[in-house]
Amino acid sequence: MPTLILVRHGRSTANTEGLLAGWTPGVALDERGAAQAAALPGRIAGLPLSEIVTSPLQRCQETVRPLLEARSGLRAHTDERIGECHYGDWSGRKLAELKDEPLMEVVQSHPSAAAFPGGESMRAMQTRAAEAVREWNARVERDHGADAVYLMCSHGDIIKSLVADALGLHLDLFQRISVEPCSVTAIRYTRLRPFLVRLGDTGDFASLAPQQAPPGDEATVGGGAGAP
């Protein structure tokens, strides 16, 4: 079965403003995010991509644009199932405000029970994304062969949930996974089991250096902003 390259979108204006973007329209890449997207074709130049699939949201579309320009023979397929979690009434709000919401404790510790007001549950998010991957695996293998490699550009919580699915982890453990903006995660699927062969690879270790404000013990809903 194929190898899936999961790319989180580059750093967005919502990331730097500390907002939970969700499906809020008009959330674009910021200057650093645009630079990350521009560097992506070079980072994966050695991969013979057979297909590119992307979330419909602007920040993902902008992330794959340089890659499509570099590989003129490919076009992007848009799949809403790998779009961001529908955060409902939480969309567009500051993460600093949301941390005091009682639901945030559930999101952190028991995400399989979390459902966003006016939005969807985290279980539904994972289910639709995993179904999309399985369908694309079958389509890519049918059209390009079992050794094909394809790419999906998606969002932090979606990618984390797909990694948990590949590893056989309960969704309640997915907050232990971290993927920075424009990081590359690779999952090789086989008939019996998937293999996680890369996780959150940015080629940049700056975010591992000690910081003035050490990271807390909570996961950033939607994914963090990455290295400063």
mmCIF file of all heavy atoms in Angstrom, residues 47-87:
data_model
loop_
_atom_site.group_PDB
_atom_site.id
_atom_site.type_symbol
_atom_site.label_atom_id
_atom_site.label_comp_id
_atom_site.label_asym_id
_atom_site.label_seq_id
_atom_site.Cartn_x
_atom_site.Cartn_y
_atom_site.Cartn_z
ATOM 1 N N LEU A 47 11.148 12.945 -3.377
ATOM 2 C CA LEU A 47 9.985 12.069 -3.297
ATOM 3 C C LEU A 47 9.181 12.109 -4.604
ATOM 4 O O LEU A 47 8.761 13.183 -5.033
ATOM 5 C CB LEU A 47 9.081 12.491 -2.141
ATOM 6 C CG LEU A 47 9.670 12.357 -0.734
ATOM 7 C CD1 LEU A 47 8.674 12.857 0.300
ATOM 8 C CD2 LEU A 47 10.061 10.913 -0.449
ATOM 9 N N PRO A 48 8.930 10.960 -5.211
ATOM 10 C CA PRO A 48 8.147 10.909 -6.453
ATOM 11 C C PRO A 48 6.653 10.936 -6.150
ATOM 12 O O PRO A 48 5.977 9.902 -6.162
ATOM 13 C CB PRO A 48 8.576 9.573 -7.063
ATOM 14 C CG PRO A 48 8.887 8.711 -5.872
ATOM 15 C CD PRO A 48 9.445 9.628 -4.815
ATOM 16 N N LEU A 49 6.121 12.107 -5.884
ATOM 17 C CA LEU A 49 4.717 12.212 -5.494
ATOM 18 C C LEU A 49 3.795 11.851 -6.656
ATOM 19 O O LEU A 49 3.964 12.338 -7.774
ATOM 20 C CB LEU A 49 4.407 13.634 -5.018
ATOM 21 C CG LEU A 49 5.167 14.131 -3.781
ATOM 22 C CD1 LEU A 49 4.761 15.564 -3.470
ATOM 23 C CD2 LEU A 49 4.918 13.219 -2.580
ATOM 24 N N SER A 50 2.807 11.036 -6.351
ATOM 25 C CA SER A 50 1.847 10.649 -7.382
ATOM 26 C C SER A 50 0.573 11.487 -7.315
ATOM 27 O O SER A 50 -0.094 11.682 -8.332
ATOM 28 C CB SER A 50 1.484 9.164 -7.239
ATOM 29 O OG SER A 50 0.952 8.900 -5.962
ATOM 30 N N GLU A 51 0.210 11.972 -6.126
ATOM 31 C CA GLU A 51 -0.986 12.793 -5.947
ATOM 32 C C GLU A 51 -0.743 13.802 -4.829
ATOM 33 O O GLU A 51 0.061 13.551 -3.923
ATOM 34 C CB GLU A 51 -2.217 11.939 -5.571
ATOM 35 C CG GLU A 51 -2.599 10.869 -6.573
ATOM 36 C CD GLU A 51 -3.357 11.414 -7.776
ATOM 37 O OE1 GLU A 51 -3.589 12.641 -7.841
ATOM 38 O OE2 GLU A 51 -3.712 10.604 -8.663
ATOM 39 N N ILE A 52 -1.456 14.912 -4.875
ATOM 40 C CA ILE A 52 -1.460 15.892 -3.792
ATOM 41 C C ILE A 52 -2.919 16.131 -3.409
ATOM 42 O O ILE A 52 -3.758 16.423 -4.259
ATOM 43 C CB ILE A 52 -0.795 17.215 -4.206
ATOM 44 C CG1 ILE A 52 0.697 16.989 -4.485
ATOM 45 C CG2 ILE A 52 -0.970 18.277 -3.120
ATOM 46 C CD1 ILE A 52 1.417 18.220 -4.996
ATOM 47 N N VAL A 53 -3.196 15.976 -2.127
ATOM 48 C CA VAL A 53 -4.548 16.186 -1.600
ATOM 49 C C VAL A 53 -4.444 17.263 -0.525
ATOM 50 O O VAL A 53 -3.505 17.264 0.262
ATOM 51 C CB VAL A 53 -5.128 14.894 -0.992
ATOM 52 C CG1 VAL A 53 -6.590 15.085 -0.605
ATOM 53 C CG2 VAL A 53 -4.969 13.712 -1.942
ATOM 54 N N THR A 54 -5.410 18.177 -0.494
ATOM 55 C CA THR A 54 -5.313 19.263 0.468
ATOM 56 C C THR A 54 -6.659 19.582 1.101
ATOM 57 O O THR A 54 -7.722 19.367 0.501
ATOM 58 C CB THR A 54 -4.730 20.534 -0.194
ATOM 59 O OG1 THR A 54 -4.651 21.590 0.779
ATOM 60 C CG2 THR A 54 -5.579 21.000 -1.351
ATOM 61 N N SER A 55 -6.593 20.066 2.310
ATOM 62 C CA SER A 55 -7.761 20.657 2.967
ATOM 63 C C SER A 55 -8.230 21.841 2.129
ATOM 64 O O SER A 55 -7.431 22.506 1.464
ATOM 65 C CB SER A 55 -7.351 21.136 4.367
ATOM 66 O OG SER A 55 -8.186 22.164 4.839
ATOM 67 N N PRO A 56 -9.519 22.160 2.163
ATOM 68 C CA PRO A 56 -10.003 23.306 1.394
ATOM 69 C C PRO A 56 -9.645 24.660 1.990
ATOM 70 O O PRO A 56 -9.824 25.686 1.331
ATOM 71 C CB PRO A 56 -11.530 23.105 1.394
ATOM 72 C CG PRO A 56 -11.807 22.320 2.623
ATOM 73 C CD PRO A 56 -10.622 21.421 2.808
ATOM 74 N N LEU A 57 -9.104 24.674 3.206
ATOM 75 C CA LEU A 57 -8.870 25.955 3.876
ATOM 76 C C LEU A 57 -7.661 26.692 3.297
ATOM 77 O O LEU A 57 -6.678 26.074 2.865
ATOM 78 C CB LEU A 57 -8.716 25.735 5.375
ATOM 79 C CG LEU A 57 -10.016 25.222 6.033
ATOM 80 C CD1 LEU A 57 -9.793 24.835 7.476
ATOM 81 C CD2 LEU A 57 -11.108 26.275 5.932
ATOM 82 N N GLN A 58 -7.747 28.006 3.301
ATOM 83 C CA GLN A 58 -6.788 28.869 2.599
ATOM 84 C C GLN A 58 -5.348 28.600 3.001
ATOM 85 O O GLN A 58 -4.453 28.556 2.145
ATOM 86 C CB GLN A 58 -7.135 30.339 2.877
ATOM 87 C CG GLN A 58 -6.200 31.339 2.199
ATOM 88 C CD GLN A 58 -6.600 32.774 2.462
ATOM 89 O OE1 GLN A 58 -7.757 33.058 2.809
ATOM 90 N NE2 GLN A 58 -5.669 33.700 2.319
ATOM 91 N N ARG A 59 -5.089 28.399 4.279
ATOM 92 C CA ARG A 59 -3.711 28.220 4.742
ATOM 93 C C ARG A 59 -3.076 26.947 4.178
ATOM 94 O O ARG A 59 -1.863 26.900 3.964
ATOM 95 C CB ARG A 59 -3.643 28.258 6.264
ATOM 96 C CG ARG A 59 -4.594 27.330 7.003
ATOM 97 C CD ARG A 59 -4.741 27.800 8.444
ATOM 98 N NE ARG A 59 -5.577 26.957 9.276
ATOM 99 C CZ ARG A 59 -6.893 27.071 9.382
ATOM 100 N NH1 ARG A 59 -7.536 27.973 8.657
ATOM 101 N NH2 ARG A 59 -7.574 26.292 10.215
ATOM 102 N N CYS A 60 -3.896 25.923 3.934
ATOM 103 C CA CYS A 60 -3.375 24.703 3.306
ATOM 104 C C CYS A 60 -3.190 24.898 1.807
ATOM 105 O O CYS A 60 -2.181 24.456 1.231
ATOM 106 C CB CYS A 60 -4.309 23.531 3.576
ATOM 107 S SG CYS A 60 -4.259 22.930 5.269
ATOM 108 N N GLN A 61 -4.150 25.548 1.173
ATOM 109 C CA GLN A 61 -4.036 25.823 -0.258
ATOM 110 C C GLN A 61 -2.783 26.643 -0.549
ATOM 111 O O GLN A 61 -2.074 26.391 -1.533
ATOM 112 C CB GLN A 61 -5.289 26.573 -0.738
ATOM 113 C CG GLN A 61 -6.607 25.834 -0.513
ATOM 114 C CD GLN A 61 -6.919 24.801 -1.574
ATOM 115 O OE1 GLN A 61 -6.459 24.913 -2.706
ATOM 116 N NE2 GLN A 61 -7.713 23.805 -1.240
ATOM 117 N N GLU A 62 -2.490 27.623 0.300
ATOM 118 C CA GLU A 62 -1.290 28.446 0.108
ATOM 119 C C GLU A 62 -0.016 27.649 0.354
ATOM 120 O O GLU A 62 1.014 27.894 -0.279
ATOM 121 C CB GLU A 62 -1.348 29.663 1.030
ATOM 122 C CG GLU A 62 -2.433 30.666 0.645
ATOM 123 C CD GLU A 62 -2.474 31.861 1.577
ATOM 124 O OE1 GLU A 62 -1.763 31.862 2.607
ATOM 125 O OE2 GLU A 62 -3.232 32.815 1.284
ATOM 126 N N THR A 63 -0.082 26.694 1.260
ATOM 127 C CA THR A 63 1.106 25.886 1.570
ATOM 128 C C THR A 63 1.514 25.011 0.389
ATOM 129 O O THR A 63 2.715 24.848 0.115
ATOM 130 C CB THR A 63 0.846 25.025 2.820
ATOM 131 O OG1 THR A 63 0.598 25.881 3.946
ATOM 132 C CG2 THR A 63 2.042 24.135 3.134
ATOM 133 N N VAL A 64 0.543 24.442 -0.323
ATOM 134 C CA VAL A 64 0.897 23.542 -1.432
ATOM 135 C C VAL A 64 1.146 24.283 -2.743
ATOM 136 O O VAL A 64 1.637 23.684 -3.698
ATOM 137 C CB VAL A 64 -0.189 22.457 -1.655
ATOM 138 C CG1 VAL A 64 -0.360 21.613 -0.407
ATOM 139 C CG2 VAL A 64 -1.508 23.057 -2.083
ATOM 140 N N ARG A 65 0.836 25.571 -2.796
ATOM 141 C CA ARG A 65 0.972 26.299 -4.061
ATOM 142 C C ARG A 65 2.404 26.243 -4.616
ATOM 143 O O ARG A 65 2.589 25.933 -5.816
ATOM 144 C CB ARG A 65 0.500 27.744 -3.886
ATOM 145 C CG ARG A 65 0.389 28.525 -5.201
ATOM 146 C CD ARG A 65 -0.269 29.868 -4.940
ATOM 147 N NE ARG A 65 -1.625 29.694 -4.421
ATOM 148 C CZ ARG A 65 -2.229 30.550 -3.612
ATOM 149 N NH1 ARG A 65 -1.595 31.633 -3.204
ATOM 150 N NH2 ARG A 65 -3.460 30.327 -3.206
ATOM 151 N N PRO A 66 3.451 26.511 -3.821
ATOM 152 C CA PRO A 66 4.810 26.411 -4.379
ATOM 153 C C PRO A 66 5.149 25.002 -4.850
ATOM 154 O O PRO A 66 5.882 24.831 -5.835
ATOM 155 C CB PRO A 66 5.708 26.840 -3.217
ATOM 156 C CG PRO A 66 4.827 27.679 -2.339
ATOM 157 C CD PRO A 66 3.480 27.040 -2.437
ATOM 158 N N LEU A 67 4.623 24.004 -4.167
ATOM 159 C CA LEU A 67 4.876 22.617 -4.563
ATOM 160 C C LEU A 67 4.224 22.317 -5.910
ATOM 161 O O LEU A 67 4.824 21.664 -6.775
ATOM 162 C CB LEU A 67 4.341 21.678 -3.483
ATOM 163 C CG LEU A 67 4.581 20.181 -3.669
ATOM 164 C CD1 LEU A 67 6.063 19.871 -3.774
ATOM 165 C CD2 LEU A 67 3.940 19.406 -2.511
ATOM 166 N N LEU A 68 3.013 22.811 -6.117
ATOM 167 C CA LEU A 68 2.338 22.610 -7.399
ATOM 168 C C LEU A 68 3.060 23.345 -8.520
ATOM 169 O O LEU A 68 3.132 22.849 -9.655
ATOM 170 C CB LEU A 68 0.890 23.090 -7.299
ATOM 171 C CG LEU A 68 -0.026 22.261 -6.393
ATOM 172 C CD1 LEU A 68 -1.342 22.983 -6.162
ATOM 173 C CD2 LEU A 68 -0.251 20.876 -6.965
ATOM 174 N N GLU A 69 3.599 24.516 -8.216
ATOM 175 C CA GLU A 69 4.352 25.263 -9.228
ATOM 176 C C GLU A 69 5.638 24.537 -9.586
ATOM 177 O O GLU A 69 6.082 24.574 -10.748
ATOM 178 C CB GLU A 69 4.656 26.664 -8.709
ATOM 179 C CG GLU A 69 3.411 27.548 -8.572
ATOM 180 C CD GLU A 69 3.696 28.863 -7.870
ATOM 181 O OE1 GLU A 69 4.829 29.029 -7.365
ATOM 182 O OE2 GLU A 69 2.786 29.711 -7.819
ATOM 183 N N ALA A 70 6.241 23.850 -8.613
ATOM 184 C CA ALA A 70 7.485 23.126 -8.858
ATOM 185 C C ALA A 70 7.249 21.808 -9.590
ATOM 186 O O ALA A 70 8.144 21.294 -10.252
ATOM 187 C CB ALA A 70 8.199 22.856 -7.534
ATOM 188 N N ARG A 71 6.038 21.265 -9.467
ATOM 189 C CA ARG A 71 5.716 19.985 -10.097
ATOM 190 C C ARG A 71 4.507 20.193 -11.010
ATOM 191 O O ARG A 71 3.360 19.904 -10.639
ATOM 192 C CB ARG A 71 5.432 18.924 -9.041
ATOM 193 C CG ARG A 71 6.589 18.765 -8.061
ATOM 194 C CD ARG A 71 6.611 17.422 -7.431
ATOM 195 N NE ARG A 71 7.645 17.294 -6.434
ATOM 196 C CZ ARG A 71 8.033 16.135 -5.905
ATOM 197 N NH1 ARG A 71 7.477 15.013 -6.316
ATOM 198 N NH2 ARG A 71 8.987 16.099 -4.993
ATOM 199 N N SER A 72 4.789 20.687 -12.173
ATOM 200 C CA SER A 72 3.736 21.116 -13.089
ATOM 201 C C SER A 72 2.816 19.977 -13.518
ATOM 202 O O SER A 72 1.696 20.211 -13.972
ATOM 203 C CB SER A 72 4.351 21.781 -14.322
ATOM 204 O OG SER A 72 5.251 20.895 -14.969
ATOM 205 N N GLY A 73 3.256 18.742 -13.379
ATOM 206 C CA GLY A 73 2.431 17.618 -13.800
ATOM 207 C C GLY A 73 1.375 17.218 -12.790
ATOM 208 O O GLY A 73 0.534 16.371 -13.077
ATOM 209 N N LEU A 74 1.406 17.829 -11.601
ATOM 210 C CA LEU A 74 0.457 17.474 -10.555
ATOM 211 C C LEU A 74 -0.559 18.587 -10.334
ATOM 212 O O LEU A 74 -0.256 19.762 -10.537
ATOM 213 C CB LEU A 74 1.196 17.207 -9.233
ATOM 214 C CG LEU A 74 2.069 15.955 -9.161
ATOM 215 C CD1 LEU A 74 2.789 15.914 -7.822
ATOM 216 C CD2 LEU A 74 1.241 14.693 -9.351
ATOM 217 N N ARG A 75 -1.746 18.195 -9.920
ATOM 218 C CA ARG A 75 -2.732 19.168 -9.470
ATOM 219 C C ARG A 75 -3.239 18.743 -8.101
ATOM 220 O O ARG A 75 -3.126 17.567 -7.729
ATOM 221 C CB ARG A 75 -3.903 19.263 -10.456
ATOM 222 C CG ARG A 75 -4.752 18.012 -10.570
ATOM 223 C CD ARG A 75 -5.877 18.195 -11.570
ATOM 224 N NE ARG A 75 -6.739 17.016 -11.651
ATOM 225 C CZ ARG A 75 -7.797 16.806 -10.881
ATOM 226 N NH1 ARG A 75 -8.102 17.718 -9.954
ATOM 227 N NH2 ARG A 75 -8.532 15.730 -11.017
ATOM 228 N N ALA A 76 -3.779 19.664 -7.365
ATOM 229 C CA ALA A 76 -4.243 19.357 -6.016
ATOM 230 C C ALA A 76 -5.702 18.928 -6.026
ATOM 231 O O ALA A 76 -6.539 19.548 -6.670
ATOM 232 C CB ALA A 76 -4.056 20.565 -5.113
ATOM 233 N N HIS A 77 -5.988 17.863 -5.306
ATOM 234 C CA HIS A 77 -7.362 17.441 -5.057
ATOM 235 C C HIS A 77 -7.766 17.984 -3.690
ATOM 236 O O HIS A 77 -7.026 17.848 -2.719
ATOM 237 C CB HIS A 77 -7.467 15.915 -5.034
ATOM 238 C CG HIS A 77 -6.954 15.247 -6.259
ATOM 239 N ND1 HIS A 77 -7.730 15.020 -7.381
ATOM 240 C CD2 HIS A 77 -5.719 14.758 -6.554
ATOM 241 C CE1 HIS A 77 -7.011 14.403 -8.295
ATOM 242 N NE2 HIS A 77 -5.782 14.233 -7.829
ATOM 243 N N THR A 78 -8.924 18.603 -3.610
ATOM 244 C CA THR A 78 -9.405 19.134 -2.338
ATOM 245 C C THR A 78 -10.361 18.136 -1.699
ATOM 246 O O THR A 78 -11.270 17.629 -2.356
ATOM 247 C CB THR A 78 -10.124 20.482 -2.556
ATOM 248 O OG1 THR A 78 -9.184 21.418 -3.090
ATOM 249 C CG2 THR A 78 -10.674 21.026 -1.247
ATOM 250 N N ASP A 79 -10.133 17.852 -0.414
ATOM 251 C CA ASP A 79 -10.976 16.905 0.305
ATOM 252 C C ASP A 79 -11.366 17.521 1.648
ATOM 253 O O ASP A 79 -10.508 17.732 2.510
ATOM 254 C CB ASP A 79 -10.236 15.581 0.518
ATOM 255 C CG ASP A 79 -11.156 14.448 0.974
ATOM 256 O OD1 ASP A 79 -12.121 14.730 1.715
ATOM 257 O OD2 ASP A 79 -10.901 13.285 0.604
ATOM 258 N N GLU A 80 -12.640 17.810 1.812
ATOM 259 C CA GLU A 80 -13.107 18.454 3.046
ATOM 260 C C GLU A 80 -12.903 17.576 4.275
ATOM 261 O O GLU A 80 -12.831 18.087 5.393
ATOM 262 C CB GLU A 80 -14.591 18.818 2.920
ATOM 263 C CG GLU A 80 -14.862 19.945 1.944
ATOM 264 C CD GLU A 80 -16.242 20.552 2.131
ATOM 265 O OE1 GLU A 80 -17.009 20.038 2.981
ATOM 266 O OE2 GLU A 80 -16.533 21.534 1.439
ATOM 267 N N ARG A 81 -12.776 16.280 4.082
ATOM 268 C CA ARG A 81 -12.640 15.371 5.227
ATOM 269 C C ARG A 81 -11.323 15.549 5.952
ATOM 270 O O ARG A 81 -11.194 15.125 7.108
ATOM 271 C CB ARG A 81 -12.817 13.916 4.778
ATOM 272 C CG ARG A 81 -14.214 13.606 4.266
ATOM 273 C CD ARG A 81 -14.280 12.212 3.683
ATOM 274 N NE ARG A 81 -13.406 12.079 2.521
ATOM 275 C CZ ARG A 81 -13.208 10.930 1.863
ATOM 276 N NH1 ARG A 81 -13.823 9.830 2.260
ATOM 277 N NH2 ARG A 81 -12.408 10.887 0.801
ATOM 278 N N ILE A 82 -10.329 16.163 5.307
ATOM 279 C CA ILE A 82 -9.071 16.434 6.009
ATOM 280 C C ILE A 82 -8.964 17.913 6.368
ATOM 281 O O ILE A 82 -7.895 18.408 6.701
ATOM 282 C CB ILE A 82 -7.837 15.964 5.214
ATOM 283 C CG1 ILE A 82 -7.715 16.699 3.872
ATOM 284 C CG2 ILE A 82 -7.878 14.448 5.013
ATOM 285 C CD1 ILE A 82 -6.358 16.502 3.202
ATOM 286 N N GLY A 83 -10.105 18.615 6.291
ATOM 287 C CA GLY A 83 -10.157 19.988 6.776
ATOM 288 C C GLY A 83 -10.100 20.015 8.293
ATOM 289 O O GLY A 83 -10.323 19.005 8.976
ATOM 290 N N GLU A 84 -9.833 21.178 8.839
ATOM 291 C CA GLU A 84 -9.683 21.357 10.279
ATOM 292 C C GLU A 84 -10.914 20.864 11.040
ATOM 293 O O GLU A 84 -12.017 20.763 10.481
ATOM 294 C CB GLU A 84 -9.441 22.849 10.569
ATOM 295 C CG GLU A 84 -9.232 23.210 12.031
ATOM 296 C CD GLU A 84 -8.005 22.556 12.634
ATOM 297 O OE1 GLU A 84 -8.054 21.329 12.911
ATOM 298 O OE2 GLU A 84 -7.002 23.255 12.849
ATOM 299 N N CYS A 85 -10.720 20.560 12.299
ATOM 300 C CA CYS A 85 -11.844 20.227 13.160
ATOM 301 C C CYS A 85 -12.831 21.397 13.162
ATOM 302 O O CYS A 85 -12.434 22.560 13.146
ATOM 303 C CB CYS A 85 -11.341 19.957 14.580
ATOM 304 S SG CYS A 85 -12.624 19.420 15.732
ATOM 305 N N HIS A 86 -14.112 21.076 13.169
ATOM 306 C CA HIS A 86 -15.137 22.115 13.271
ATOM 307 C C HIS A 86 -15.282 22.490 14.747
ATOM 308 O O HIS A 86 -15.951 21.787 15.506
ATOM 309 C CB HIS A 86 -16.462 21.602 12.701
ATOM 310 C CG HIS A 86 -16.438 21.418 11.215
ATOM 311 N ND1 HIS A 86 -16.664 22.447 10.320
ATOM 312 C CD2 HIS A 86 -16.195 20.321 10.458
ATOM 313 C CE1 HIS A 86 -16.578 21.990 9.078
ATOM 314 N NE2 HIS A 86 -16.293 20.708 9.133
ATOM 315 N N TYR A 87 -14.644 23.594 15.135
ATOM 316 C CA TYR A 87 -14.651 24.002 16.540
ATOM 317 C C TYR A 87 -15.904 24.780 16.924
ATOM 318 O O TYR A 87 -16.060 25.171 18.077
ATOM 319 C CB TYR A 87 -13.409 24.841 16.841
ATOM 320 C CG TYR A 87 -12.110 24.091 16.684
ATOM 321 C CD1 TYR A 87 -11.168 24.485 15.734
ATOM 322 C CD2 TYR A 87 -11.822 22.991 17.477
ATOM 323 C CE1 TYR A 87 -9.971 23.794 15.590
ATOM 324 C CE2 TYR A 87 -10.636 22.297 17.335
ATOM 325 C CZ TYR A 87 -9.715 22.703 16.386
ATOM 326 O OH TYR A 87 -8.538 22.021 16.240
#
